[in-house]
Amino acid sequence: MSAPSSPTPPARTIQFGVFFQGVNFGTIWSDERSGSQHDFASFRQIAQTAERGLFPAFFLGEGLRLREHRGRVHELDVAGRPDAQTQLAALAAVTERIGLVATQNATYNDPHDLARRLASLDLLSEGRAGWNVVTTDNAWTGANFRRGGWLDHADRYRRAAEFVTAAKRLWAAGVGGPVETPDDLIPFSSVGTLPPSPQGRPVVFQAGDSDTGRDFAARHADVIFSAHGRLDAAIAFAADLRRRLPTYGRGEDELKFFPGQEFILAETDAEAQEKAEWVRHAQVSPQTALKFLEQVWGRDLSEYDPDGPLPDVDPVQEEADGTRGALFQGKPAKETADAWRAQAAEEGLSIREFVIAQSSRRSIVGGYASVADLLVRYAESGAVDGFNVSPYLVPSGLDDIVDGLVPELQERGVYATEYAGTTLRENLGLPAVREPSASFA
């Protein structure tokens, strides 16, 4: 059973989603306005603020193993957080229109179990569930699971494609079975049946940027997150994905583009630039800067001055530590350290200044009016449908956008003044669900 056709959104619009991150140092933990990452009040406040701003989606990132630093849980990151699906189920009861999206892994889940949990959230939220499909690229995470190990890049995407196809078949059958599966997925059938939600099935999100990842998105995703937030890069990325869509029998209206973005806003451009300087130094504390380098050096660097030059000693490991994420995974340690020292010396940067330069997030900085003018250009380009916002403060980090930027965009006619419908699919402007392909190829 397919959902009713979604209304066509107005041309030239911009939307916002919110990315409530897990492990990161983009969030400013030290500020007195920073809330708990465990208290439900933080999740409720940021989701309700986003809904007040007519955001179509609230997205929770989730990892499957706590980040570590030199063999111990990294104390400068979130040390565990409630399960994303559980949080979204709770948020469904205190929100009405905003979509509820969680990262769920296709490597370490099973299709029937995950499809049923996602369908349950979709049904109970009356058509507001979404699934950000991710794979896992390291044995360190795999060690947390009974099956252990990990999959090569090509195999991860092959399994993910089969996994998503199986999930879509289950949703089309009402999470009933039996459902045909490829040889390497265990055959399954349902012990019960769930009816479809008002949007038909959960909306599928994906963020792969490799050639294989882009093909995966062109075939399976409804929304793609990307790192291509600059206008020229966003235009090129969207053009590449749209060229791939016809190969899989899909139209341009079947894939929406939401690059990740951080907004630093104020009444004037000068005030925003001053705020950005504060944000960068608050995100990268002296302790954070040293621990950033320790991932490459593999040793305690607390004896070094964060406002002084990079360490003159060599790393004590051959490869950089990847247990805090994929950023340094597999990088040769001494080669990386030598390159960093040369760059810092050439640019006259201290340890902290160098780390700030290395780790600065994608940001749009400016006064409300000038940023609104810039986003009109994004809307006119057709390169993005919206931005997935990573707030630097939780839970108050969306206030500037909702109270300052959104009214400016509405005045320019590029931002909605009400939700298009009641479901995530409607509010994203996606067409009605089509039945899944009969092939796993």
Side-chain angles (χ1 to χ4, degrees):
M1 176 179 176
S2 296
S5 297
S6 301
T8 302
R12 297 177 54 249
T13 59
I14 287 292
Q15 296 182 307
F16 295 118
V18 58
F19 178 21
F20 195 143
Q21 297 189 73
V23 175
N24 73 98
F25 61 77
T27 303
I28 300 172
W29 316 110
S30 58
D31 192 275
E32 62 183 11
R33 294 166 292 177
S34 183
S36 167
Q37 295 281 321
H38 304 272
D39 189 343
F40 180 66
S42 295
F43 295 82
R44 181 178 60 226
Q45 180 178 333
I46 200 166
Q48 290 179 339
T49 300
E51 188 167 66
R52 179 165 59 84
L54 305 176
F55 287 29
F58 173 91
F59 167 42
L60 279 176
E62 184 165 58
L64 296 179
R65 181 168 177 173
L66 296 182
R67 297 290 172 89
E68 296 176 5
H69 183 79
R70 300 182 62 229
R72 296 184 179 181
V73 172
H74 185 40
E75 72 273 16
L76 297 183
D77 284 336
V78 179
R81 200 169 70 180
D83 171 71
Q85 287 284 107
T86 305
Q87 282 283 12
L88 294 182
L91 288 171
V94 296
T95 56
E96 296 179 357
R97 297 294 182 90
I98 194 165
L100 305 167
V101 186
T103 291
Q104 295 292 331
N105 197 292
T107 304
Y108 297 111
N109 277 292
D110 291 302
H112 179 268
D113 174 61
L114 181 57
R116 184 172 185 274
R117 285 189 281 121
L118 289 166
S120 297
L121 176 63
D122 202 31
L123 187 63
L124 295 174
S125 66
E126 300 182 311
R128 293 190 285 138
W131 170 24
N132 179 44
V133 183
V134 299
T135 62
T136 298
D137 61 356
N138 61 75
W140 174 75
T141 298
N144 240 18
F145 293 86
R146 180 169 56 87
R147 71 193 65 176
W150 59 293
L151 297 173
D152 288 332
H153 184 83
D155 291 334
R156 285 191 289 118
Y157 273 109
R158 182 177 59 81
R159 175 180 168 84
E162 294 171 348
F163 194 113
V164 173
T165 300
K168 288 180 177 179
R169 286 185 172 190
L170 283 161
W171 291 329
V175 198
V179 175
E180 178 190 349
T181 59
D183 293 341
D184 63 341
L185 288 181
I186 299 172
F188 50 79
S189 62
S190 179
V191 295
T193 300
L194 289 175
S197 78
Q199 70 172 350
R201 63 162 172 79
V203 174
V204 175
F205 293 70
Q206 197 261 344
D209 196 24
S210 65
D211 190 64
T212 305
R214 293 184 186 201
D215 273 339
F216 179 93
R219 178 166 187 169
H220 294 285
D222 301 306
V223 180
I224 185 163
F225 296 138
S226 84
H228 303 286
R230 290 194 333 271
L231 183 56
D232 56 346
I235 291 171
F237 180 74
D240 179 64
L241 265 294
R242 285 169 179 152
R243 281 194 295 268
R244 299 171 191 245
L245 289 169
T247 302
Y248 304 105
R250 303 183 69 197
E252 289 189 5
D253 64 338
E254 295 183 64
L255 182 62
K256 302 297 181 180
F257 296 84
F258 276 71
Q261 192 61 266
E262 179 184 67
F263 287 85
I264 302 177
L265 306 167
E267 290 291 340
T268 68
D269 290 348
E271 290 173 328
Q273 291 295 338
E274 184 178 340
K275 183 188 286 188
E277 187 69 13
W278 169 78
V279 168
R280 295 290 171 251
H281 284 82
Q283 288 172 327
V284 182
S285 67
Q287 186 183 16
T288 298
L290 290 174
K291 290 189 179 296
F292 185 93
L293 296 192
E294 286 177 359
Q295 294 173 91
V296 170
W297 265 258
R299 51 159 290 180
D300 180 13
L301 297 176
S302 59
E303 65 196 85
Y304 288 87
D305 179 3
D307 294 318
L310 270 65
D312 53 4
V313 297
D314 286 336
V316 296
Q317 59 187 6
E318 291 186 5
E319 288 190 354
D321 181 9
T323 60
R324 277 175 54 188
L327 181 60
F328 300 119
Q329 189 172 313
K331 280 194 174 183
K334 187 176 186 308
E335 181 181 320
T336 301
D338 288 343
W340 283 6
R341 282 188 289 230
Q343 180 183 343
E346 180 180 351
E347 299 176 12
L349 300 176
S350 68
I351 290 175
R352 192 178 183 194
E353 290 168 337
F354 176 80
V355 174
I356 288 172
Q358 287 287 308
S359 59
S360 287
R361 299 159 72 185
R362 299 175 300 278
S363 299
I364 291 178
V365 180
Y368 300 123
S370 60
V371 170
D373 289 340
L374 172 63
L375 296 191
V376 168
R377 293 172 54 202
Y378 275 89
E380 290 174 340
S381 76
V384 306
D385 297 282
F387 294 96
N388 201 32
V389 179
S390 298
Y392 54 83
L393 278 177
V394 171
S396 62
L398 296 182
D399 293 353
D400 283 349
I401 294 177
V402 172
D403 298 329
L405 181 57
V406 165
E408 293 279 354
L409 293 169
Q410 289 171 329
E411 283 187 12
R412 289 159 175 77
V414 296
Y415 198 90
T417 56
E418 61 182 1
Y419 276 111
T422 61
T423 71
L424 176 56
R425 181 169 293 275
E426 289 173 313
N427 292 325
L428 287 167
L430 287 165
V433 171
R434 291 195 293 169
E435 295 299 326
S437 167
S439 172
F440 278 96

